[in-house]
Amino acid sequence: MATIERKLLNVEVANEIREMIRVGTLEKGDKINEKELSMALGVSRTPIREALQRLSIEGLIKIIPHRGAFVSSPRLRDIREMFEVMSVLEGTCARMAAEKMSEAEFKKLESLHLELEKHYQNRDHENYLQVNHRYHTYIQELTGNRVLNDIINGIRLKILLYRSQQLYQPRRFDDSISEHRALLEAFKKRDPVQAENLMKTHLMNQCEALVSLYADDDDNE
Amino acid sequence: MATIERKLLNVEVANEIREMIRVGTLEKGDKINEKELSMALGVSRTPIREALQRLSIEGLIKIIPHRGAFVSSPRLRDIREMFEVMSVLEGTCARMAAEKMSEAEFKKLESLHLELEKHYQNRDHENYLQVNHRYHTYIQELTGNRVLNDIINGIRLKILLYRSQQLYQPRRFDDSISEHRALLEAFKKRDPVQAENLMKTHLMNQCEALVSLYADDDDNE
DNA sequence: ATAAAATATATTGTATACAATCAGGGAGTA
DNA sequence: TACTCCCTGATTGTATACAATATATTTTAT
């Protein structure tokens, strides 16, 4: 028998807003109007506001007193800082995963990699990103550390605010897949140190690609 | 002219509760009664509830639907996971700090270390812990990465739920100070790799000390 | 006397009402 | 025209009211 999932509106609303941000309905800098949203979702402002409090702690939105809630628009510096932490954390995941990875788990990882290759051949950015996300998530999960997972997921969602700009430069696409190939080799050899280092540089390269696209943007910094 | 700090009650209330947890007025497992707290603080339940939402995302409390908010009481597994992440993050701080530490900054660190030594001589656990906290915080700040800082501070507060048990075993007290001595040497030499490794093991040792005290406890796991 | 059922009380969750603050527009002046 | 001031409407922040659920107490039956 399944656990009865008791639903609270503020949790549902938070999920809803998070999803809007994830898929791009809400973009960085957008203002979130409480009344508007409450009518759209058919609930009162109370659960809306409670959800906004939650999201502000997650860092997805910023609440300016008496002005309202705005979708976060991290500055260049914030992006760099987030990636710096991400590279360390995902590097750690890679190391831990390489240390304890079973053969079945490697096969699963390999199949994800093959999906990546396919989308790369087809120059299908959208699906590449999607599978890439599943690939990284899978490695995280192999660590079995939920605290680690939660932190990484939280940061990733914030970085996702910039997904539109991400990876749409062909050069970065090429580099990304070759980094992934090297990474798979390291996992195949169960080499924790190499896996960690490759993952770290993979992340830092992604950061640089994002930042370079973004540097000449106006309202950030 | 100073920035006008506009205060919102929910933020104030969250600070208040956080402080209660930090100093021990609220302990792990305690229930937080909304009405009671609202009367004690002289505000309505609205800002109280908004604050609770925030704290639940921080992980300091757990909200059980229709039952109420309870101060988190992490299981043994959670503690281990938090320390695992902490060791990586604080290790990273140590590495980054060692890489960029100025002479003046080292002097400051050294003076903090000397305070530690003093309290160690006097077997003054309370003040040792206090200075130890400032020491670690200082290293964090040297990195200049606010994202990193926020994450570490968040986890530390949760670990602090167990401060009562921490370091009150004489053996651990001795080990802690000698680990700190080695650490200071590494910083003096500006050796990032060693600083990182020493910090990591320092944290993992602290974890083991805490867990061992705690293993025979009842309601955890 | 114990255990289950029923009722009452307390607490949480949600909606609404009211207060404080902000954003925008027009009137008036230089 | 450009600028300031004041006013109005809109939006956020807080308090209260009501509804739903959980906990405690009493009642009832065995």
Side-chain angles (χ1 to χ4, degrees), chain A residues 8-10 42-47 50 66-67:
Chain A
L8 296 186
L9 286 185
N10 63 51
V43 299
S44 80
R45 277 177 57 218
T46 306
E50 291 183 357
H66 297 101
R67 302 272 311 269

Side-chain angles (χ1 to χ4, degrees), chain B residues 94 96-107 109 138-139 142 187-188 190:
Chain B
M96 291 172 67
E99 280 166 0
K100 59 169 77 164
M101 189 180 292
S102 74
E103 191 55 25
E105 286 164 345
F106 174 75
K107 286 296 174 204
L109 199 68
Y138 184 61
I139 291 172
L142 287 181
F187 282 122
K188 188 172 187 174
R190 307 290 197 280

Side-chain angles (χ1 to χ4, degrees), chain A residues 178-218:
Chain A
S178 63
E179 283 161 19
H180 264 281
R181 284 169 191 151
L183 201 49
L184 193 74
E185 276 307 303
F187 282 122
K188 187 172 189 174
K189 290 186 295 183
R190 306 293 197 278
D191 185 335
V193 175
Q194 200 179 353
E196 174 165 11
N197 287 332
L198 287 171
M199 184 61 94
K200 272 175 140 171
T201 55
H202 178 56
L203 265 288
M204 288 319 289
N205 289 342
Q206 195 131 336
C207 175
E208 287 313 314
L210 183 54
V211 164
S212 70
L213 261 175
Y214 182 50
D216 36 28
D217 215 0
D218 37 316

Side-chain angles (χ1 to χ4, degrees), chain A residues 16 43 108-109 118 125 135 138:
Chain A
E16 202 66 39
V43 299
K108 162 90 180 184
L109 199 68
K118 191 183 65 189
H125 293 86
Y135 185 97
Y138 184 62

Side-chain angles (χ1 to χ4, degrees), chain B residues 8-10 43-47 50 66-67:
Chain B
L8 295 186
L9 285 185
N10 64 51
V43 300
S44 80
R45 277 177 57 221
T46 307
E50 291 184 356
H66 297 101
R67 301 270 312 268

